[in-house]
Amino acid sequence: MTTHDAPVTPRTMRRIALASGTGTVIEYYDFFIFATAAALVFPKTFFPALGSAAGTVASFATLGVAFVARPLGSILFGHFGDRLGRKTTLVATLLVMGLATFLVGLMPTADTIGAAAPILLVVLRLLQGLAVGGEWTGATLMAAENAPKARRGFWSMFGSLGGSIGMILANATFLLIGATMSTAAFESYGWRIPFLTSFLLVAVGFFIRMRIEEPAVFRTEVARRGTSSVPFAEALRNQPREIALASGVMLMIFSFYYLAVGYMINFGTTVLHLSRTTVLSIGILAGAVFGLALVLGAACSDRVGRRRVILAGNGIAVVWALALFPVLDSASATTFALASCVTTFISGFAYGPVGAFMPELFRTRYRYTAAGFAYNVAGVLGGAVPPLIAAAIVAAYGGIAFGGFLALLCLISFGCTLALRETWDTAMEQDTDAAPAPERSAEEATTA
């Protein structure tokens, strides 16, 4: 029996899941408070000379900068994750994100230093993007490479679940601060508090992550074959098809999710004229729905397979993409809440299996790099582009036109998922270009 065959106890898996989820809670909390501030504050604080509409576009452009940096972060941190180990790299991503977020909270505004303010904001946002580019993959691999095969989908989703909790915390923090001070005070200094206090959370995450060990699968691979000298080049040489298709799998998930946490927050306050308290409260509810859907999708993937769950989510998403803006245009808090929750539920359900599906596609030698790059390329195409162009398309052609664009992304995700093999019976240490794993029946999956 090799090292990686040794069973991992449920207690150990709970500790790994805590480390995986806690770090992503912190990192995505940092990421989402920026998204929330970009929707509510930054147009006035950093881009006042551009006016309301152009300032909003510029603010969301800074949000998109991080997505451009994420693939670079996946290559950078993936390189070290595949060569030095998952644990060391995860600690590094946590510290980079924490420092960048803290500095955003100290940033002088455009009224103080002029054009230098948005430039510095973009630089810090780039650092956030680099850190997040390496975070999700490492957190997910810690769980996926340790989890028993029969429940890998469930345990691997804890890194993704951190995103849901981070979304809830970000909205709750802004809601609490906004409720305890005037609008003027909130726009003057109140928005800084979530950024500054996040550094305390980083200390907690650092402590937890320092107490975990490298996955046995990775240690065994290093002992047996050594590490790849250039993981990114090796991944592109050996599995370019899987990288390209895996990027497409995530398009719908990212576009729906970041539409809900970014563009729809701004839409609710500026177009529907809902109060900031109402919109943030609905954001908390949508975050909770996302988390529940994510757990459901992950659990289902252990019973019926990763592809089937992701395909189901994408198929439903095509229909909802066309219905979304007619529902939003009804201009009420109830329909806005419905639209937000349905959007995050569909995204979360399809996202649930991804924490296991992506690592299962790639070899151990370059798994961190390959899975991270595919994931973050999808973040650029699905997470950055739709929210950035949504306002312009809706203004010029109406919501139904943008719904058609979203439906197209969903169809691409469906096709890419269909083109990939089922992975739920994949051993994490086997060569992934071997014959596809056999299909298991529902009864076999249940009793595994």
Side-chain angles (χ1 to χ4, degrees):
M1 178 179 289
T2 57
T3 304
H4 55 256
D5 291 321
V8 178
T9 66
R11 180 180 180 182
T12 300
M13 280 310 307
R14 287 193 293 269
R15 186 170 69 248
I16 292 170
L18 177 63
S20 175
T22 300
T24 51
V25 166
I26 296 166
E27 298 228 13
Y28 280 92
Y29 166 81
D30 289 354
F31 203 75
F32 292 145
I33 58 176
F34 194 104
T36 304
L40 298 177
V41 179
F42 288 173
K44 298 177 182 177
T45 306
F46 291 101
F47 306 98
L50 298 180
S52 177
T56 299
V57 172
S59 182
F60 279 113
T62 64
L63 188 65
V65 162
F67 287 98
V68 176
R70 285 172 67 158
L72 299 177
S74 70
I75 297 172
L76 173 65
F77 288 110
H79 179 86
F80 293 110
D82 283 323
R83 287 185 57 80
L84 302 181
R86 295 22 174 155
K87 173 182 174 179
T88 302
T89 306
L90 277 175
V91 171
T93 62
L94 184 68
L95 294 178
V96 171
M97 173 62 88
L99 177 62
T101 304
F102 182 77
L103 292 177
V104 170
L106 298 176
M107 273 285 300
T109 65
D111 290 339
T112 304
I113 60 173
I119 293 173
L120 290 174
L121 187 68
V122 167
V123 170
L124 294 176
R125 186 60 174 168
L126 281 170
L127 289 176
Q128 283 189 323
L130 288 172
V132 172
E135 166 60 29
W136 178 87
T137 315
T140 299
L141 290 189
M142 287 297 300
E145 292 183 336
N146 279 295
K149 185 190 300 184
R151 300 200 70 200
R152 190 183 296 143
F154 172 77
W155 288 114
S156 299
M157 65 86 190
F158 279 90
S160 302
L161 187 62
S164 169
I165 299 172
M167 176 183 176
I168 293 172
L169 287 177
N171 281 291
T173 302
F174 273 101
L175 181 63
L176 178 63
I177 293 172
T180 56
M181 60 180 61
S182 66
T183 300
F186 177 79
E187 293 178 353
S188 174
Y189 66 88
W191 65 270
R192 299 179 182 274
I193 297 175
F195 291 91
L196 297 175
T197 56
S198 69
F199 210 71
L200 298 176
L201 298 177
V202 172
V204 175
F206 179 82
F207 174 76
I208 293 174
R209 286 194 167 173
M210 289 300 293
R211 293 168 59 88
I212 58 176
E213 296 182 358
E214 290 290 347
V217 168
F218 175 77
R219 297 199 307 268
T220 301
E221 175 70 16
V222 172
R224 188 171 59 183
R225 303 183 188 178
T227 60
S228 173
S229 57
V230 186
F232 183 60
E234 188 173 342
L236 287 180
R237 183 170 61 252
N238 292 326
Q239 292 188 268
R241 177 181 179 273
E242 286 81 0
I243 292 174
L245 291 175
S247 298
V249 167
M250 295 288 297
L251 286 179
M252 180 282 290
I253 296 169
F254 272 114
S255 61
F256 270 40
Y257 186 69
Y258 282 99
L259 196 70
V261 304
Y263 173 77
M264 287 176 66
I265 290 178
N266 183 266
F267 186 90
T269 55
T270 61
V271 178
L272 301 183
H273 303 293
L274 300 174
S275 70
R276 185 175 66 232
T277 299
T278 298
V279 171
L280 291 175
S281 298
I282 291 172
I284 294 173
L285 177 62
V289 169
F290 177 81
L292 291 174
L294 196 151
V295 174
L296 177 62
C300 286
S301 79
D302 282 330
R303 293 178 175 271
V304 303
R306 321 292 185 219
R307 288 172 74 247
R308 292 176 183 175
V309 175
I310 299 172
L311 286 171
N314 281 309
I316 296 170
V318 173
V319 178
W320 179 245
L322 298 174
L324 175 58
F325 278 85
V327 172
L328 283 176
D329 288 340
S330 61
S332 73
T334 300
T335 54
F336 180 76
L338 174 66
S340 298
C341 290
V342 173
T343 301
T344 54
F345 180 89
I346 295 172
S347 177
F349 184 73
Y351 193 23
V354 168
F357 188 56
M358 299 285 271
E360 288 166 347
L361 287 170
F362 302 105
R363 299 178 186 172
T364 306
R365 284 173 59 79
Y366 49 74
R367 182 175 288 140
Y368 200 130
T369 302
F373 184 71
Y375 179 87
N376 287 291
V377 166
V380 175
L381 301 177
V385 175
L388 188 61
I389 67 175
I393 292 179
V394 171
Y397 305 106
I400 193 67
F402 184 69
F405 173 75
L406 287 178
L408 177 61
L409 293 181
C410 298
L411 287 172
I412 294 173
S413 290
F414 188 93
C416 289
T417 306
L418 197 62
L420 287 166
R421 63 184 177 84
E422 180 56 75
T423 62
W424 69 343
D425 263 346
T426 299
M428 296 302 289
E429 69 276 6
Q430 78 176 35
D431 287 339
T432 55
D433 56 356
E439 293 285 340
R440 288 187 293 174
S441 67
E443 181 180 354
E444 289 172 329
T446 303
T447 57

